[in-house]
Amino acid sequence: MGPSISLNNVSLCYENNCILTGISTQLEAGQCHVIMGPNGGGKTSLLRSILGLTPFNGEINIHWSSSKGKVGYVPQKATFEPSLPLTVLDFILLNQSRYPLFFKTNKKHKENAIEQLKRVGMADRALLRMGQLSGGEQQRVLFAQALLDDPDLLILDEPTNGMDDQGVRYFESLITEFVGEKKTIVVVHHDISAVRRLDAQVHVVNGILIESGRASEVLKAEKIEQLFSHYRHAPTQQTKIHSVNRKSEAA
């Protein structure tokens, strides 16, 4: 079972620029939660705050049903040196092994890596170099890597960027599967039609939390222009945030 996540008055400012102001909401356990909003609205900053990668003010509490579970994360883009002779399988195994790739490969790790690549339709590209893949294919590899430890909480930042239709179908099928398994998914997404298909809980962020609810209610045609306006709703805050106040505790 995935965790629930509570956010209480979460704010994030750099110098005089406030990215997020007063975000308070509850992300229920075992559901898919989609963070949407205009460019520059603070979506990625909110994800990074949940992960503890960015300093913020306020509280973010991750409530596990029993013992702390595993977390999988997919960033917006794969980071690697394209000129390196790094295969897709090598890239996956780097996240599973504590030893350099020139050491003997653990058979169980390799089998698990191939299995996760199959789930995203990339097993037939396992021996290609990462630099030979398109951006969308690299995103599918990142998704496979995030699945290695069978996470209970998946945090995904624009995971379908550059994906073709086949890649998007794999992604949506897996999200549906994970919700059926009561995992918690938090994903930044920009495609309104795709989010409607997921039938997720939608949280529209533009500096502040604009609206939350089921996709069918939030993403009504007459609301779209207002919800995704580039106008910054959050007031300017002149104070710089110095501290981090992040808690993660079992329920």
Side-chain angles (χ1 to χ4, degrees):
M1 179 76 171
S4 63
I5 303 172
S6 58
L7 296 91
N8 181 25
N9 200 29
V10 174
S11 299
L12 170 60
C13 297
Y14 298 106
E15 300 295 340
N16 295 329
N17 181 28
C18 274
I19 309 301
L20 299 169
T21 302
I23 304 290
S24 295
T25 191
Q26 177 82 9
L27 308 183
E28 298 298 337
Q31 297 185 27
C32 178
H33 297 273
V34 179
I35 312 298
M36 304 190 77
N39 291 336
K43 303 182 297 296
T44 293
S45 295
L46 186 58
L47 284 195
R48 289 179 60 82
S49 296
I50 292 172
L51 286 164
L53 300 176
T54 298
F56 61 87
N57 265 2
E59 292 184 355
I60 298 177
N61 296 308
I62 301 178
H63 306 279
W64 300 96
S65 58
S66 54
S67 58
K68 183 177 179 180
K70 297 175 181 177
V71 180
Y73 171 52
V74 177
Q76 284 186 5
K77 187 177 181 181
T79 303
F80 64 97
E81 173 50 56
S83 64
L84 291 175
L86 185 70
T87 69
V88 170
L89 186 57
D90 290 338
F91 187 84
I92 294 284
L93 290 173
L94 279 172
N95 199 52
Q96 277 201 295
S97 176
R98 298 179 181 179
Y99 304 101
L101 288 173
F102 53 78
F103 277 51
K104 185 177 180 180
T105 303
N106 183 296
K107 182 180 179 182
K108 184 179 292 186
H109 286 172
K110 184 174 180 180
E111 289 174 349
N112 186 27
I114 294 295
E115 181 60 31
Q116 303 317 317
L117 287 170
K118 285 180 180 177
R119 298 178 80 183
V120 299
M122 291 294 291
D124 61 341
R125 291 168 170 78
L127 299 182
L128 291 181
R129 292 186 181 183
M130 282 292 290
Q132 293 177 278
L133 303 184
S134 68
E137 288 173 331
Q138 289 174 11
Q139 285 302 108
R140 288 160 75 174
V141 173
L142 286 180
F143 195 16
Q145 190 178 65
L147 302 181
L148 288 172
D149 292 329
D150 190 24
D152 306 288
L153 170 61
L154 265 171
I155 297 182
L156 316 170
D157 193 358
E158 297 278 12
T160 61
N161 266 354
M163 278 190 190
D164 59 13
D165 290 342
Q166 183 186 47
V168 171
R169 286 195 297 272
Y170 275 109
F171 169 76
E172 292 180 359
S173 175
L174 284 169
I175 294 300
T176 301
E177 177 185 329
F178 297 151
V179 171
E181 296 171 355
K182 299 300 183 182
K183 298 178 185 293
T184 302
I185 299 102
V186 184
V187 53
V188 167
H189 214 316
H190 65 276
D191 188 324
I192 292 171
S193 296
V195 174
R196 285 173 176 155
R197 289 196 299 271
L198 290 173
D199 191 30
Q201 289 286 336
V202 174
H203 311 271
V204 181
V205 174
N206 187 9
I208 63 173
L209 181 64
I210 304 298
E211 186 170 348
S212 290
R214 300 299 302 177
S216 57
E217 292 298 319
V218 175
L219 300 179
K220 290 182 175 178
E222 62 269 21
K223 292 184 177 181
I224 298 302
E225 183 177 354
Q226 177 186 357
L227 290 174
F228 295 93
S229 167
H230 286 264
Y231 172 73
R232 292 287 293 185
H233 296 267
T236 301
Q237 181 176 326
Q238 298 299 321
T239 57
K240 180 179 178 181
I241 290 178
H242 294 282
S243 63
V244 179
N245 186 359
R246 184 178 189 274
K247 297 179 181 179
S248 177
E249 57 189 34

